[in-house]
Amino acid sequence: MTNKYENTKKYWDKAFTNISTINPTDPINNLSLEKSIKWISEDSSNLLDFGCGSGKILFRSLFYGVGQVLGIDISQEAINCANKSVNELELDNKAFFEVGGNELLKEINSNSYDGAVLFNIIDNLIPMDAVMVLEQIHRIVKDSGKILIKFNPYINKKLKEEFEFRELEEEFYEEKTGLYIWNLSNEKIKELLHEYFNIEQELIVEFPEYNQTNRMYYLRNKNTKII
Ligand SMILES: C[S@@+](CC[C@H](N)C(=O)[O-])C[C@H]1O[C@@H](n2cnc3c(N)ncnc32)[C@H](O)[C@@H]1O
């Protein structure tokens, strides 16, 4: 698994070098994200974040009353960054971070988490792995547990040409940076999600500072375990 993501790791290791400590008391600089963290934290004793980066979503969830969190990320630098905050803020009995990918999800007990966060990760994975992560999250999260998921914007034909993506499969690309992009339409996203989750709410998150939008879904785990 790790080799396929060598360029991904390099990219994110560079991005997460020298990031400053994250404090749970600092609000996330985006109202939609802040509201979503509040929603997932309500009545959740523990949360899992796959592709957690520096852990900022999980740290903020601690502020909203979550008791324990686990973050997994393929980038050693991202996890170093998260652990720096853990140590400085003495959160070592509440926040746990591990370096790795999909394979780590398989080691987590079924029905053991109240909720999970998947922010800008599913559409940056190889499609087969992305489906596997959704399956695993469905297994790990308790019945009717909450899942927050966020996707990159759909990339139209004109932009694809402009960005000079390398097409690996239909609608699956490698960017010049080495990052993967599974270009998912809204219909395709819903088809994937409906397999395991009920959609409670969908919204567009605006990031004016990056001139970007993301597609976010509030989900509930379906009670019938498919795997
Ligand atoms: C766009 S960033 C999002 C970070 C964080 N979720 C957030 O919203 O701030 C994507 C993260 O996913 C991680 N990632 C990418 N591919 C991964 C994989 N195959 N397994 C685990 N983590 C991965 C990257 O290292 C990076 O930290």
Side-chain angles (χ1 to χ4, degrees), residues 1 5 8-9 12-13 16 49-57 72-75 78 100-102 117-121 124-125 129 150 152 179:
M1 141 103 200
Y5 292 97
T8 301
K9 269 169 58 165
W12 289 110
D13 275 346
F16 283 109
D49 185 344
F50 183 72
C52 63
S54 58
K56 66 171 191 250
I57 306 297
I72 298 174
D73 200 285
I74 205 166
S75 156
N102 301 10
V117 178
L118 296 168
F119 275 2
N120 303 81
I121 177 74
N124 287 123
L125 296 176
D129 293 334
K150 192 154 68 67
N152 298 300
L179 291 185

Side-chain angles (χ1 to χ4, degrees), residues 79-90:
I79 296 299
N80 289 350
C81 178
N83 279 331
K84 196 170 132 207
S85 303
V86 170
N87 293 333
E88 284 183 22
L89 301 159
E90 297 182 9

